[in-house]
Amino acid sequence: MRSLWKGGIGVDKLTSMVLNYKTSPEIKNIVLCIGTNNNFQTGNIKQLFKAVKRTFPNATIYVIKGSWGWGGNRRITEERVNNYYKKYQQQGGIIINPAIGKNEPHQNLTVYKTIGNKIDTILK
């Protein structure tokens, strides 16, 4: 099965990729980790969810909050990040906490183990 994982993209690119993916009713869970690379600007989150629900009609959608406070996101605040992910919640996404957080994410962060354990617990 072709992967939908791709670093460095935003919401609209992911939406396009999902729309071009074969319908997969056997998929039960989707974990999204997106937002950092488009500086927590909305993109069309509603269209993304519409595409995911069409392509994966039986999936529960989980969302991991990204990272800020570094590079092009150095001036992004936690409040802006939280407001951004509220839009995912409004579309039916289930937010997984904690966020990656105010960290440069391209390293082995302790929070990744915490997030991974949380996902493992949810998906059991």
Side-chain angles (χ1 to χ4, degrees):
M1 187 174 276
R2 192 168 38 104
S3 175
L4 287 172
W5 179 91
K6 182 162 179 62
I9 64 170
V11 170
D12 297 333
K13 176 65 177 173
L14 180 58
T15 301
S16 174
M17 291 170 66
V18 170
L19 286 171
N20 289 309
Y21 200 83
K22 112 178 151 62
T23 302
S24 302
E26 72 280 6
I27 301 297
K28 302 294 182 205
N29 299 290
I30 300 292
V31 180
L32 296 175
C33 184
I34 194 159
T36 300
N37 288 318
N38 65 330
N39 302 101
F40 305 99
Q41 295 174 6
T42 304
N44 198 330
I45 295 167
K46 187 174 185 177
Q47 284 303 111
L48 173 60
F49 270 75
K50 199 170 167 183
V52 169
K53 289 174 184 177
R54 181 202 62 113
T55 303
F56 307 103
N58 298 315
T60 301
I61 304 168
Y62 298 95
V63 181
I64 299 169
K65 295 180 184 180
S67 64
W68 63 94
W70 62 278
N73 288 330
R74 106 179 26 87
R75 291 187 179 92
I76 302 290
T77 64
E78 186 172 7
E79 179 182 15
R80 179 171 169 178
V81 171
N82 289 335
N83 287 335
Y84 175 78
Y85 288 106
K86 282 180 187 173
K87 293 173 174 64
Y88 287 81
Q89 234 174 350
Q90 290 166 352
Q91 295 302 316
I94 299 168
I95 305 298
I96 294 176
N97 285 303
I100 295 171
K102 191 172 183 179
N103 296 294
E104 197 288 324
H106 302 101
Q107 54 189 318
N108 188 12
L109 299 171
T110 305
V111 73
Y112 292 141
K113 184 172 184 173
T114 303
I115 293 167
N117 287 340
K118 182 85 174 235
I119 292 169
D120 287 346
T121 300
I122 290 167
L123 300 183
K124 282 186 179 177

